[in-house]
Amino acid sequence: MAKQIHILNGPNLNLLGEREGSIYGHVTLADIEQNCQEECARLGFELEFAQTNHEGDLVELIQNAGKTADGIIINPAAYTHTSVAIHDAIRAINIPVVEVHLSNIFARESFRHHSYVSPVALGTICGFGPAGYILALGALTSHIPE
Ligand code: DHK
């Protein structure tokens, strides 16, 4: 059976393409999903792709992925900077997690410089726009044993 990656996206990422284009660009989340599906097929992995605007739902998606997936890529969006619940959910599972941000959070407002997710992630990719998801897939899948 093919190994599974779950890509989880947090609040307001459903608005990509129409939201603050100078920061987040003009690519939609559907475009990112399509690119990730193609890259996963190329790498020989199955992909589940999800977005939610709700913190508790993101916690449940992480818990479920912990039971069924082999690795997670997560862009927790604003919850990156606020959510102990997401930090704890990642600590509670035993699969690798790669954190992604489209923008370079360290070049933005100081409240974005702290991440509750980075200390419990395998690694973080930020500042490369949608390409960050593809970079994360390469990093994560190379970390998952055959
Ligand atoms: C997306 C958001 O919505 C922000 O709240 C984060 C992140 C940055 C991103 O760059 O993908 O601060």
Side-chain angles (χ1 to χ4, degrees):
M1 217 173 74
K3 305 238 177 206
Q4 270 216 20
I5 306 294
H6 288 198
I7 299 185
L8 309 179
N9 295 281
N12 299 305
L13 292 171
N14 55 311
L15 298 179
L16 287 179
E18 53 186 275
R19 166 194 189 204
E20 297 184 274
S22 60
I23 296 173
Y24 296 109
H26 301 284
V27 170
T28 67
L29 196 61
D31 295 332
I32 291 175
E33 177 174 4
Q34 178 65 35
N35 291 343
C36 289
Q37 288 288 3
E38 286 168 15
E39 184 65 0
C40 275
R42 197 182 70 78
L43 294 166
F45 284 76
E46 278 177 9
L47 176 65
E48 293 272 333
F49 195 95
Q51 187 275 331
T52 176
N53 291 323
H54 304 282
E55 185 175 14
D57 289 348
L58 205 45
V59 168
E60 284 183 0
L61 286 167
I62 293 164
Q63 291 180 3
N64 290 339
K67 291 179 200 136
T68 60
D70 298 287
I72 295 175
I73 293 168
I74 187 166
N75 182 349
Y79 292 137
T80 306
H81 318 297
T82 62
S83 181
V84 176
I86 289 170
H87 172 104
D88 284 349
I90 293 172
R91 285 181 84 116
I93 60 173
N94 289 311
I95 56 171
V97 176
V98 175
E99 177 187 9
V100 169
H101 304 285
L102 295 151
S103 63
N104 179 355
I105 56 175
F106 302 104
R108 299 182 62 192
E109 305 96 317
S110 58
F111 66 82
R112 296 185 203 274
H113 296 180
H114 177 261
S115 167
Y116 280 97
V117 172
S118 296
V120 288
L122 178 63
T124 301
I125 295 170
C126 80
F128 295 101
Y133 286 79
I134 303 298
L135 294 169
L137 278 171
L140 179 61
T141 56
S142 69
H143 206 80
I144 295 172
E146 295 217 356

